[in-house]
Amino acid sequence: MKAFILDKYKKKGGALRLGEMPEPTLRDDDVMVEIRAAGLNMLDSKIRDGEFKLILPYRTPFILGHDLAGTVVRIGPKVRRFKPGDEVYARPRDGRIGTFAEFIAMNEADLALKPKNLTMEEAASIPLVGLTAWQVLVERAGLRKGQKVLIHAGSGGVGTFAIQLAKHLGATVATTTSTANVELVRSLGADVVIDYKKEDFEKVLSGYDVVLNSLDSDTLQKSLNVLKPGGKLISISGPPDPEFAKEQGLNWVLRQVLRLLSFGIRSKAKRRRVSYSFLFMRANGEQLGQIASLIEDGVIRPVLDRIFPFEGTNEAMGYIETGRSKGKVVVKLR
């Protein structure tokens, strides 16, 4: 099968190689999916650059890609929830990624039926960002009606989804974005829009219950100032904390490294009587099923910036690395 392959970790712009790879092996509880469209994420370029080598030790050569929509073509003997012909979408679990390819075999627990009202390209844009937003706002933050949440980078992939989910949960939503995207984030439901080119969010906002950070350490530090006592600062861009290290089953040395990396922000958070945690989203087909229901009910709509042909995967990676995409970027296989 055709696939985009990472032959070796390479910082800053190492291209993936378009080549042939063997079709994946189907395990007993696996579903084989013919991929129709694949979403791109900054996680892909970070893995390509070797930033996650310690946490996600993939052995090269391997296929990149964390989002897919496609059609089930075969199932393992223990699979009960899917059948050939089903249209599905998914974020494969860590260790079994590889959506920049014509086929993928993945555990049935990671899949859900594709939202009926979305195209394959729209559906492929959802899994990673949808699960990230869900696991931050619903699971980790327990966001409730009447609370206030600040979502950074509101026009990005996670941001466009999280704004809509937070509004559905009944929260007041503030977001940061550039001048060009103010109307977009308003149309998604943001109540307070901070144009970071004109205003400093920490001087404008206060008394917030939750902050979802996806930006740099400077933004992370400033975010402490907008939270009220008991508030939660949840970051998807790091630094990883000891709890994450424990969940991942990392060795003692790595656990100490992560403890040191996050010591500063955890100490500052504690002094301000707020909590800091790092979230690295995980595959979850059941949550994707709930997200599909919200999409079918018209509560959440995908925000798609551009669709590239499959052959243009490297060009698409370069485009998302500019940081200028509104919502998601997808490659179309067929």
Side-chain angles (χ1 to χ4, degrees):
M1 66 173 184
K2 285 190 173 66
F4 273 90
I5 304 150
L6 182 67
D7 289 312
K8 62 177 182 179
Y9 293 113
K10 188 178 178 186
K11 273 202 178 347
K12 297 299 164 212
L16 304 175
R17 173 175 61 86
L18 177 58
E20 291 289 330
M21 287 287 265
E23 245 184 57
T25 308
L26 196 69
R27 301 176 190 173
D28 285 357
D29 49 7
D30 276 357
V31 173
M32 181 78 77
V33 180
E34 184 175 24
I35 298 171
R36 300 274 301 279
L40 282 81
N41 299 279
M42 282 304 294
L43 178 60
D44 297 307
S45 54
K46 287 180 176 179
I47 288 177
R48 180 203 62 199
D49 292 351
E51 287 185 34
F52 284 96
K53 265 194 296 192
L54 292 175
I55 297 169
L56 299 169
Y58 291 108
R59 291 177 62 181
T60 55
F62 66 93
I63 304 166
L64 261 182
H66 291 78
D67 274 327
L68 71 94
T71 307
V72 175
V73 288
R74 289 205 304 284
I75 60 170
K78 291 185 178 172
V79 171
R80 296 290 174 266
R81 292 172 50 230
F82 300 96
K83 64 186 186 304
D86 282 347
E87 294 191 334
V88 293
Y89 77 144
R91 191 285 204 197
R93 63 186 58 181
D94 295 322
R96 299 195 69 188
I97 63 167
T99 65
F100 299 160
E102 293 181 302
F103 296 93
I104 191 169
M106 52 188 296
N107 191 291
E108 74 164 329
D110 301 346
L111 287 145
L113 293 173
K114 176 182 84 65
K116 294 185 183 71
N117 57 338
L118 296 190
T119 64
M120 286 287 183
E121 294 78 30
E122 288 171 332
S125 76
I126 295 287
L128 187 139
V129 296
L131 288 170
T132 300
W134 186 279
Q135 288 166 19
V136 169
L137 300 176
V138 178
E139 270 192 348
R140 183 73 57 87
L143 193 65
R144 302 187 307 277
K145 188 176 181 181
Q147 290 191 311
K148 297 200 296 184
V149 60
L150 166 60
I151 295 163
H152 283 298
S155 65
V158 172
T160 51
F161 196 99
I163 289 169
Q164 297 177 82
L165 179 59
K167 283 305 293 179
H168 170 66
L169 295 170
T172 297
V173 180
T175 192
T176 55
T177 194
S178 65
T179 313
N181 296 321
V182 167
E183 289 312 311
L184 168 65
V185 297
R186 281 217 176 99
S187 75
L188 297 172
D191 301 289
V192 182
V193 180
I194 306 293
D195 179 345
Y196 66 76
K197 294 187 174 179
K198 297 176 182 174
E199 295 178 291
D200 191 340
F201 73 89
E202 66 172 331
K203 291 176 181 162
V204 180
L205 307 175
S206 62
Y208 274 66
D209 299 279
V210 179
V211 176
L212 164 50
N213 178 61
S214 55
L215 299 172
D216 56 17
S217 60
D218 187 41
T219 305
L220 187 71
Q221 305 281 345
K222 288 180 176 181
S223 295
L224 290 170
N225 300 328
V226 309
L227 286 164
K228 67 183 188 186
K232 296 174 183 176
L233 173 54
I234 303 166
S235 180
I236 59 172
S237 55
D241 58 0
E243 193 56 39
F244 165 75
K246 193 171 146 192
E247 284 168 9
Q248 292 289 107
L250 301 180
N251 65 41
W252 184 85
V253 175
L254 278 178
R255 291 217 298 267
Q256 300 318 306
V257 169
L258 297 192
R259 184 179 294 279
L260 282 170
L261 280 175
S262 61
F263 179 76
I265 189 70
R266 286 186 293 114
S267 300
K268 284 178 183 170
K270 197 172 181 181
R271 284 200 297 273
R272 291 173 179 272
R273 291 183 292 142
V274 300
S275 68
Y276 168 76
S277 63
F278 169 72
L279 185 130
F280 192 79
M281 63 75 54
R282 64 189 193 287
N284 190 313
E286 193 179 321
Q287 289 176 352
L288 278 179
Q290 292 175 277
I291 288 167
S293 298
L294 292 179
I295 291 168
E296 288 172 353
D297 290 344
V299 171
I300 292 172
R301 62 179 170 92
V303 178
L304 208 50
D305 184 305
R306 284 181 71 180
I307 300 170
F308 286 79
F310 183 52
E311 293 71 24
T313 296
N314 280 314
E315 189 189 341
M317 289 271 280
Y319 180 61
I320 65 163
E321 284 163 358
T322 65
R324 290 197 295 270
S325 57
K326 299 177 185 182
K328 286 294 294 286
V329 174
V330 168
V331 292
K332 180 177 181 172
L333 281 87
R334 51 174 68 79

